[in-house]
Amino acid sequence: MLEILQYDFMRNAIIAAVLASIACGIIGVYVVVKRIVFISGGISHASFGGIGLGYFLGVNPLYGLIPFSVLSAIVMGLVSKRSKVAEDTAIGILWSLGMAIGIILISWTPGYAPDLMTYLFGNILTVPMSDIYLMVGLDAVIILVVYAFYKEFMSLCFDEEFAEVAGLSVEKLYILLLCLIALTIVLLIKVVGIILIIALLTMPASLSRHYTNNLRKMMYLAIFFGAFFSIVGLAFSYLFDVPSGATIILVMSTVYMLHFLYDGMKPKKAV
């Protein structure tokens, strides 16, 4: 198995997997605890418009993805807090709108977009060093913001009414959290793609929640689970010559289901 480390693209893939796991481990815990999986899915799919924008402008699609994802997060946050339209309806509309914008911009771009499937289904094996540097920067931003607002985010996730009574600006905190989710989505795009992002964002966090109720420990465990499953998935994709993103999710889903199947079969302790 160590032979895969002799290739630059595999080393880059492992580094990218770890960097992505740091972000999804931290932010995924908030997504699971706050129960905002659907809005996270909305942001991830709406962000496809940013990929189309990048292709249309002739730049790295990730550079179009970052501002578009953040803008999508802000709009969805404001809509969910202020709109009279049902939240799931509004998110569904914005989700479709972002995808539509991306498709139209790509259709207006001369030539063929060869890497488009990479952003839809992921291909961590093609991550260049320039993207890794970008991922390091985004990880640093996420860690610093979460460190600075750790207590505020905890109040937002566990008791929003208490946060309001305590004088916190719940709406601004919520939008800030959604912006961090948007940055995490950017990190995960090349790993598993837009279609499979939610699985990587939620499964490690959900699994870690089973072992502890401490938010900080939950994050550490989620980072470990995400990195471990990603690296194992990479190894299997190399051995069997199958798509890396789908293999990572398949490994993670299998372990996840077996874990909870085993847990459900254990005899309950008598009270």
Side-chain angles (χ1 to χ4, degrees), residues 154-164:
M154 185 183 294
S155 298
L156 178 70
C157 290
F158 287 105
D159 196 338
E160 195 169 303
E161 291 182 2
F162 171 78
E164 288 182 347

Side-chain angles (χ1 to χ4, degrees), residues 6 40 47 58 60 62 100 110 113 120 137 141 170 199 225 227 244 246 248 261 264:
Q6 67 181 308
S40 301
S47 67
N60 185 335
L62 289 181
L120 287 174
V141 170
V170 170
F225 287 139
S244 53
I248 290 170
L261 182 63

Side-chain angles (χ1 to χ4, degrees), residues 176-255:
L176 178 59
L177 179 59
L178 294 186
C179 289
L180 293 179
I181 291 171
L183 294 181
T184 304
I185 286 166
V186 174
L187 282 162
L188 300 180
I189 285 285
K190 277 294 189 74
V191 180
V192 293
I194 287 174
I195 306 299
L196 301 173
I197 274 179
I198 292 303
L200 192 57
L201 192 61
T202 56
M203 274 194 283
S206 177
L207 196 57
S208 69
R209 194 179 187 187
H210 184 76
Y211 291 99
T212 179
N213 291 320
N214 182 289
L215 201 65
R216 199 181 300 273
K217 291 180 181 178
M218 209 182 296
M219 290 177 180
Y220 293 144
L221 274 176
I223 291 170
F224 169 76
F225 287 139
F228 177 75
F229 292 135
S230 296
I231 292 171
V232 171
L234 271 174
F236 279 125
S237 72
Y238 174 81
L239 287 173
F240 299 105
D241 192 24
V242 289
S244 53
T247 307
I248 290 170
I249 299 302
L250 184 62
V251 168
M252 191 177 299
S253 300
T254 301
V255 174

